[in-house]
Amino acid sequence: MKLTKENVFYSFCAENKPAVSVDAPARMEFETMDCFGNQLRRPEDVMEEIDWDRINPATGPVFVNGAEPGDALKVVIEEIKLDEKGTVCCLNDEGTLGARIDGSHTRVVSVSDGMVHYKAANGMEAEIPVKPMIGVIGVAPADGQDINTGTPGAHGGNMDNTMVGEGAALYFPVAASGALFGFGDLHAVMGDGEIGVSGLEIPANVTVTLEVCKGKAPQYPVLETEDALSIIVSKPTVDEACQAATELMQEMIAERTDLDLPDIVMLMSLVGDLQICQIVDPEKTVRFVFPKKYIPGLTF
């Protein structure tokens, strides 16, 4: 089954009309636009002329039959196929260096042979390996909330986590019947922090598998790879997000092992990594990453 870019939404909400309903497990392909709604695809396109109501479109939503509050929606990212070009921008008063920028600036950048071919205004060229990732991904939040796709939270959303790429499995807390899952905002490459408010924003076709894990809803999205288990937390400040992510990782390890608290804390301090995802959205996002090899059998 394939959902095209004509099926988009701009806020995560339980009231959204589903684009499609599926039985889990379901393997699906999603066609996505870039975060600008494909409005900055030519060198002559400028940010001052785009429709800001079309920012951060997410393809979907998908109603997953049987997914109910208290469950986890498992999303395995099987494959990401990128377009042949993407766009990166910076502009005044946006991002951590926005106060130093006058006006807006964009670069339309070609992508081929596994490389991003960046060309600066002065002619300098940089060849950057692609690292495809999904910026906006999540489910409807609880309590009748309507959260725009540009804002992250416990439901997922605009987490801009560079680990959300091929091979990753994410677990979202289902808060509304059917989960109402969707995603968009693909990047060919992006640095942790996304300090200039954009990675290389790019359309893509993405294949995922959706499953329902009954009664296993985490408090915040959990991401698992072959090597690591991580929790992704968004809060109003980086300090708050760091504190919550650390506490939730400690609790997750405690629930899955017979280690006592001092040993968990010491192991987390020795081999765990507290990392920044993004610091430019309304809520700031961090992840705590713990290598699974140090605790045999550790998994979601």
Side-chain angles (χ1 to χ4, degrees):
M1 180 181 294
K2 181 175 181 178
L3 272 184
T4 67
K5 62 186 178 183
E6 283 70 37
N7 298 284
V8 298
F9 61 98
Y10 295 91
S11 67
F12 288 94
C13 176
E15 302 304 315
N16 284 341
K17 181 180 179 180
V20 66
S21 297
V22 300
D23 293 324
R27 183 180 173 92
M28 299 183 63
E29 183 179 354
F30 291 68
E31 180 184 33
T32 69
M33 291 186 280
D34 67 23
C35 79
F36 304 114
N38 292 357
Q39 297 179 85
L40 296 176
R41 299 288 288 158
R42 305 171 301 169
E44 59 267 31
D45 295 331
V46 295
M47 299 196 75
E48 286 80 2
E49 296 179 3
I50 67 175
D51 180 354
W52 289 95
D53 290 333
R54 294 168 54 196
I55 298 300
N56 279 318
T59 301
V62 176
F63 188 99
V64 183
N65 295 321
E68 297 294 339
D71 298 336
L73 182 70
K74 180 181 180 181
V75 182
V76 180
I77 303 170
E78 308 283 1
E79 184 178 33
I80 299 176
K81 295 181 180 179
L82 300 174
D83 195 85
E84 77 284 351
K85 63 181 178 181
T87 306
V88 60
C89 73
C90 63
L91 65 158
N92 177 253
D93 288 336
E94 295 290 341
T96 59
L97 299 175
R100 301 184 177 190
I101 297 289
D102 292 324
S104 70
H105 306 265
T106 63
R107 302 282 184 270
V108 177
V109 182
S110 66
V111 178
S112 62
D113 301 320
M115 302 295 289
V116 169
H117 309 285
Y118 184 87
K119 294 184 180 180
N122 69 355
M124 186 207 78
E125 298 185 9
E127 299 290 302
I128 307 168
V130 299
K131 187 181 179 183
M133 54 156 290
I134 300 172
V136 172
I137 184 168
V139 297
D143 302 324
Q145 297 177 76
D146 190 331
I147 303 176
N148 70 71
T149 49
T151 299
H155 68 291
N158 195 22
M159 301 182 293
D160 283 320
N161 183 342
T162 57
M163 292 181 67
V164 183
E166 289 183 351
L170 292 106
Y171 300 85
F172 294 99
V174 176
S177 291
L180 295 170
F181 167 76
F183 65 89
D185 185 31
L186 271 287
H187 304 91
V189 68
M190 190 195 87
D192 282 336
E194 199 185 28
I195 62 97
V197 303
S198 83
L200 189 62
E201 312 293 337
I202 193 166
N205 283 274
V206 184
T207 300
V208 303
T209 298
L210 306 178
E211 302 177 30
V212 177
C213 302
K214 300 301 293 183
K216 294 191 67 175
Q219 292 186 50
Y220 276 82
V222 171
L223 184 148
E224 186 169 11
T225 65
E226 181 180 355
D227 300 322
L229 193 63
S230 64
I231 190 148
I232 312 163
V233 176
S234 301
K235 293 285 187 180
T237 70
V238 171
D239 284 351
E240 289 175 277
C242 288
Q243 183 68 35
T246 304
E247 291 175 353
L248 288 170
M249 177 56 72
Q250 177 267 309
E251 292 169 7
M252 191 155 55
I253 293 174
E255 290 169 357
R256 289 159 173 78
T257 73
D258 58 1
L259 292 170
D260 63 17
L261 179 59
D263 281 315
I264 292 174
V265 172
M266 287 185 279
L267 274 172
M268 286 176 63
S269 192
L270 288 173
V271 301
D273 287 315
L274 187 57
Q275 301 171 341
I276 300 294
C277 295
Q278 61 77 28
I279 56 172
V280 295
D281 293 333
E283 302 272 309
K284 315 309 175 189
T285 308
V286 306
R287 59 181 180 258
F288 197 103
V289 183
F290 191 89
K292 295 194 292 187
K293 66 181 179 180
Y294 296 108
I295 302 179
L298 182 65
T299 185
F300 180 78

